[in-house]
Amino acid sequence: MASIAEAVGQTPLVRLERAAREAPSVEVYAKLEFANPGGSVKDRAALRMMTRALEDGRLTSDKILIDSTSGNTGVAYSLFGAALGVRVQLVMPSNVSKARKDITRAFGTEIIFSDPMEGSDGAIHLARDLVAKSPDKYFYPDQYSNPDNPLAHYHGTGAEILDQVGDRITHFVAGLGTSGTIVGTSRRLHEHSRPIRCVAVEPADALHGLEGLKHLGSSLVPQIHDRSAYDETYPVATEQGWDMADTLAREEALHVGHSAGAVVFAAIEIAKKLHKEQQGGCVVCIVPDRGDRYFAPMKWEKRYVW
Ligand SMILES: Cc1ncc(COP(=O)(O)O)c(C=O)c1O
């Protein structure tokens, strides 16, 4: 392998036997996106947004990649910045956890702090202001409106799932953040000759503790979001996601993040219904990241406590 960037994708699919024991006639598989080198599903989108921009000249060696994320996308930009020789600056509220600052800085990323009172919106506004003032200095990937985000899942995640269980899959379940995963993967799966039902998992409430997921009803709808790409939305409560994340660690040895807990919760509920009504089926769901990413910074007490 010439570069760590080549290690993105081809993630394993693991059957959940114990957690899905109430649906014994249905196969439930988790696609382990934490196996990507940056530890999350966001490696796919970040790498494609960066390599495409390098190919067509939107990103050059004298430009700085700038964005406003302290989460998985920030880690992915930082990793591939180091791998591809691209300077990266991330804007984050100054009160994000030390762990989140350290992980991106480890790769050489520079952090620009925004007003903690303005939260993540303040970081977005500051990044946009900086780009507007010096457009030639920066490459701003903007994962919420960049078509290479869903395309990474169309060509990667969706195609891989069809290779792995294409002859059997009946349902696909993924969380909705920027919507890149659900939109891109569903578009690919819907090209299959058999119908595959694609389900987007959303937090049940506007105020939630499912990091990485978006409650669309109370948020700015991402430009790449395409409701016609998938078949159904499945609301999951924060506690259901957090409890399932605990269960997965203990019963399946999968220590995953809370959005993964929410996605697997929905997948197992769908499997239970299939078991009752049809005595069969095959549900594939996405595990976006690992649980240790949330050790230091987060507590859920009906709101984030940083
Ligand atoms: C932990 C986690 N889960 C789920 C998602 C949602 O993925 P997408 O942005 O492709 O909708 C993200 C994306 O930021 C994430 O970080």
Side-chain angles (χ1 to χ4, degrees), residues 100-141:
R100 281 181 189 238
K101 294 168 192 162
D102 288 348
I103 188 170
T104 50
R105 275 182 175 146
F107 294 107
T109 287
E110 299 154 60
I111 303 179
I112 300 168
F113 291 115
S114 57
D115 187 340
M117 302 306 287
E118 291 175 21
S120 56
D121 282 352
I124 293 171
H125 288 134
L126 179 53
R128 286 186 181 160
D129 285 351
L130 289 166
V131 175
K133 272 183 205 141
S134 320
D136 295 337
K137 186 174 162 191
Y138 294 112
F139 166 62
Y140 180 45

Coordinates of all heavy atoms in Angstrom, one line a residue, residues 100-141:
R100 N -10.6 16.4 21.6 CA -10.9 16.7 20.2 C -9.9 17.6 19.6 O -9.7 17.6 18.4 CB -12.3 17.3 20.2 CG -13.3 16.2 20.3 CD -14.7 16.7 20.2 NE -15.5 15.6 20.6 CZ -16.5 15.1 19.8 NH1 -16.7 15.6 18.7 NH2 -17.1 14.0 20.2
K101 N -9.3 18.5 20.4 CA -8.3 19.4 19.8 C -7.0 18.5 19.6 O -6.4 18.6 18.5 CB -7.9 20.5 20.8 CG -9.1 21.5 21.0 CD -8.8 22.4 22.2 CE -10.0 23.1 22.6 NZ -10.0 23.7 24.0
D102 N -6.7 17.7 20.5 CA -5.4 16.9 20.4 C -5.4 16.0 19.2 O -4.4 15.8 18.6 CB -5.2 16.1 21.7 CG -4.8 17.0 22.9 OD1 -4.5 18.2 22.6 OD2 -4.9 16.5 24.0
I103 N -6.5 15.3 19.0 CA -6.5 14.3 17.9 C -6.2 14.9 16.6 O -5.5 14.3 15.8 CB -7.8 13.4 18.0 CG1 -7.7 12.2 17.0 CG2 -9.0 14.2 17.7 CD1 -8.8 11.2 17.2
T104 N -6.8 16.1 16.3 CA -6.6 16.7 15.0 C -5.2 17.3 15.0 O -4.5 17.2 13.9 CB -7.6 17.7 14.7 OG1 -7.8 18.6 15.8 CG2 -9.0 17.1 14.4
R105 N -4.8 17.9 16.1 CA -3.4 18.6 16.1 C -2.3 17.5 15.9 O -1.3 17.9 15.4 CB -3.2 19.3 17.4 CG -3.8 20.7 17.4 CD -3.5 21.3 18.8 NE -3.9 22.7 18.8 CZ -4.4 23.3 19.9 NH1 -4.5 22.7 21.0 NH2 -4.8 24.6 19.8
A106 N -2.6 16.3 16.3 CA -1.6 15.3 16.2 C -1.1 15.1 14.8 O 0.0 14.7 14.5 CB -2.1 13.9 16.7
F107 N -2.0 15.4 13.8 CA -1.7 15.2 12.4 C -1.2 16.5 11.8 O -1.0 16.6 10.6 CB -3.0 14.8 11.6 CG -3.5 13.5 12.0 CD1 -4.6 13.3 12.7 CD2 -2.8 12.3 11.5 CE1 -5.1 12.0 13.0 CE2 -3.3 11.0 11.8 CZ -4.4 10.9 12.6
G108 N -1.0 17.6 12.6 CA -0.5 18.8 12.1 C -1.5 19.9 11.8 O -1.2 20.9 11.2
T109 N -2.8 19.6 12.1 CA -3.9 20.5 11.8 C -3.8 21.7 12.7 O -3.4 21.6 13.9 CB -5.2 19.8 12.0 OG1 -5.4 18.9 10.9 CG2 -6.4 20.7 12.0
E110 N -4.1 22.9 12.1 CA -4.1 24.1 12.9 C -5.6 24.4 13.3 O -6.5 24.2 12.5 CB -3.6 25.3 12.1 CG -2.2 25.1 11.7 CD -1.9 25.9 10.4 OE1 -2.0 27.2 10.4 OE2 -1.5 25.3 9.4
I111 N -5.8 24.8 14.6 CA -7.2 25.1 15.0 C -7.4 26.6 15.2 O -6.5 27.3 15.7 CB -7.4 24.4 16.4 CG1 -7.2 22.8 16.2 CG2 -8.9 24.6 16.8 CD1 -7.4 22.0 17.5
I112 N -8.5 27.0 14.7 CA -8.9 28.4 14.8 C -10.1 28.4 15.8 O -11.1 27.7 15.5 CB -9.3 29.1 13.5 CG1 -8.1 29.0 12.5 CG2 -9.8 30.5 13.7 CD1 -8.4 29.3 11.1
F113 N -10.1 29.2 16.8 CA -11.2 29.1 17.8 C -12.3 30.1 17.5 O -12.0 31.3 17.2 CB -10.6 29.3 19.2 CG -9.8 28.1 19.6 CD1 -8.4 28.2 19.9 CD2 -10.4 26.8 19.8 CE1 -7.7 27.1 20.3 CE2 -9.6 25.7 20.1 CZ -8.2 25.9 20.4
S114 N -13.5 29.7 17.6 CA -14.7 30.6 17.5 C -15.3 30.7 18.9 O -14.9 30.0 19.8 CB -15.7 30.0 16.5 OG -16.1 28.7 16.9
D115 N -16.2 31.7 19.0 CA -16.8 32.0 20.3 C -17.6 30.8 20.8 O -18.5 30.3 20.2 CB -17.8 33.2 20.0 CG -18.4 33.8 21.3 OD1 -18.4 33.1 22.3 OD2 -18.8 34.9 21.3
P116 N -17.2 30.4 22.0 CA -17.9 29.2 22.6 C -19.4 29.5 22.8 O -20.2 28.5 22.8 CB -17.2 29.0 23.9 CG -16.6 30.3 24.3 CD -16.2 30.9 23.0
M117 N -19.8 30.7 23.0 CA -21.2 31.1 23.2 C -22.1 30.8 22.0 O -23.3 30.7 22.0 CB -21.4 32.5 23.7 CG -20.6 32.9 24.9 SD -21.0 31.8 26.3 CE -22.7 32.4 26.7
E118 N -21.4 30.8 20.8 CA -22.1 30.7 19.5 C -22.1 29.2 19.0 O -22.7 29.0 18.0 CB -21.5 31.6 18.5 CG -21.8 33.1 18.8 CD -21.1 34.0 17.8 OE1 -20.8 33.6 16.7 OE2 -20.9 35.2 18.2
G119 N -21.5 28.3 19.8 CA -21.6 26.9 19.4 C -21.1 26.5 18.0 O -20.3 27.3 17.5
S120 N -21.6 25.5 17.5 CA -21.1 25.0 16.2 C -21.6 26.0 15.0 O -20.9 26.1 14.0 CB -21.6 23.6 15.9 OG -23.0 23.5 15.9
D121 N -22.7 26.7 15.2 CA -23.1 27.7 14.2 C -22.0 28.8 14.1 O -21.7 29.3 13.0 CB -24.5 28.3 14.5 CG -25.6 27.3 14.2 OD1 -25.3 26.3 13.5 OD2 -26.7 27.6 14.5
G122 N -21.5 29.2 15.3 CA -20.5 30.2 15.3 C -19.2 29.8 14.5 O -18.6 30.6 13.8
A123 N -18.9 28.5 14.7 CA -17.7 28.0 13.9 C -18.0 28.0 12.4 O -17.1 28.4 11.6 CB -17.4 26.6 14.4
I124 N -19.2 27.6 12.0 CA -19.5 27.6 10.6 C -19.4 29.0 10.1 O -18.8 29.3 9.0 CB -21.0 27.1 10.4 CG1 -21.0 25.6 10.7 CG2 -21.4 27.3 8.9 CD1 -22.4 25.0 10.8
H125 N -20.0 30.0 10.8 CA -20.0 31.4 10.3 C -18.6 31.9 10.2 O -18.2 32.6 9.2 CB -20.8 32.3 11.2 CG -22.3 32.0 11.1 ND1 -23.2 31.9 12.1 CD2 -23.1 31.9 10.0 CE1 -24.4 31.6 11.7 NE2 -24.4 31.6 10.3
L126 N -17.7 31.6 11.2 CA -16.4 32.1 11.2 C -15.6 31.5 10.0 O -14.9 32.2 9.3 CB -15.6 31.8 12.5 CG -14.2 32.2 12.6 CD1 -14.0 33.7 12.3 CD2 -13.6 32.0 14.0
A127 N -15.8 30.2 9.7 CA -15.1 29.6 8.6 C -15.6 30.2 7.3 O -14.8 30.6 6.4 CB -15.4 28.1 8.5
R128 N -16.9 30.5 7.2 CA -17.4 31.1 5.9 C -16.9 32.5 5.8 O -16.5 32.9 4.6 CB -18.9 31.1 5.9 CG -19.4 29.7 5.7 CD -20.9 29.7 5.5 NE -21.4 28.3 5.3 CZ -22.6 27.8 5.5 NH1 -23.5 28.6 5.9 NH2 -22.9 26.6 5.3
D129 N -16.8 33.3 6.9 CA -16.2 34.6 6.8 C -14.8 34.6 6.3 O -14.4 35.4 5.5 CB -16.2 35.3 8.2 CG -17.6 35.7 8.6 OD1 -18.5 35.6 7.7 OD2 -17.9 36.1 9.8
L130 N -14.0 33.7 6.9 CA -12.6 33.6 6.5 C -12.4 33.3 5.0 O -11.6 33.9 4.3 CB -11.8 32.6 7.3 CG -11.6 32.9 8.8 CD1 -11.2 31.7 9.6 CD2 -10.6 34.0 8.9
V131 N -13.3 32.4 4.5 CA -13.2 32.0 3.1 C -13.7 33.2 2.2 O -13.1 33.5 1.2 CB -14.1 30.8 2.8 CG1 -14.2 30.5 1.3 CG2 -13.6 29.6 3.6
A132 N -14.7 33.9 2.7 CA -15.3 35.0 1.9 C -14.2 36.1 1.8 O -14.1 36.8 0.8 CB -16.5 35.5 2.5
K133 N -13.4 36.3 2.9 CA -12.4 37.4 2.9 C -11.2 37.0 2.0 O -10.6 37.9 1.4 CB -11.9 37.6 4.3 CG -12.8 38.7 5.0 CD -12.3 38.9 6.4 CE -13.4 39.4 7.3 NZ -13.3 38.9 8.7
S134 N -10.8 35.8 1.9 CA -9.7 35.4 1.1 C -10.0 34.1 0.3 O -9.4 33.0 0.6 CB -8.5 35.1 2.1 OG -8.4 36.0 3.1
P135 N -10.8 34.2 -0.7 CA -11.3 33.0 -1.4 C -10.1 32.2 -2.0 O -10.2 31.0 -2.2 CB -12.3 33.5 -2.4 CG -12.1 35.0 -2.5 CD -11.5 35.4 -1.2
D136 N -9.1 32.9 -2.5 CA -8.0 32.2 -3.2 C -7.1 31.4 -2.2 O -6.3 30.6 -2.7 CB -7.1 33.2 -3.9 CG -7.9 33.9 -5.0 OD1 -9.0 33.3 -5.5 OD2 -7.6 35.0 -5.5
K137 N -7.2 31.8 -0.9 CA -6.3 31.2 0.0 C -6.8 29.8 0.4 O -6.0 28.9 0.8 CB -6.2 32.1 1.3 CG -5.2 31.7 2.3 CD -5.2 32.8 3.4 CE -4.6 32.3 4.7 NZ -4.8 33.2 5.8
Y138 N -8.1 29.6 0.4 CA -8.7 28.4 1.0 C -9.4 27.5 0.0 O -9.9 27.9 -1.1 CB -9.8 28.9 2.0 CG -9.2 29.6 3.2 CD1 -9.5 30.9 3.4 CD2 -8.5 28.9 4.1 CE1 -9.0 31.6 4.5 CE2 -8.0 29.6 5.2 CZ -8.2 30.9 5.4 OH -7.7 31.6 6.5
F139 N -9.5 26.2 0.4 CA -10.4 25.3 -0.2 C -11.4 24.9 0.9 O -11.0 24.4 1.9 CB -9.7 24.0 -0.8 CG -10.6 22.9 -1.1 CD1 -11.6 23.0 -2.1 CD2 -10.6 21.7 -0.4 CE1 -12.5 22.0 -2.4 CE2 -11.5 20.6 -0.7 CZ -12.4 20.8 -1.7
Y140 N -12.7 25.1 0.6 CA -13.7 24.9 1.6 C -14.6 23.8 1.1 O -15.4 24.0 0.2 CB -14.5 26.2 1.8 CG -15.7 26.1 2.8 CD1 -15.5 25.6 4.0 CD2 -16.9 26.7 2.5 CE1 -16.6 25.5 4.9 CE2 -18.0 26.7 3.4 CZ -17.8 26.1 4.6 OH -18.8 26.1 5.5
P141 N -14.4 22.5 1.6 CA -15.1 21.4 1.0 C -16.6 21.4 1.2 O -17.3 20.9 0.4 CB -14.5 20.2 1.7 CG -13.4 20.6 2.6 CD -13.4 22.1 2.7

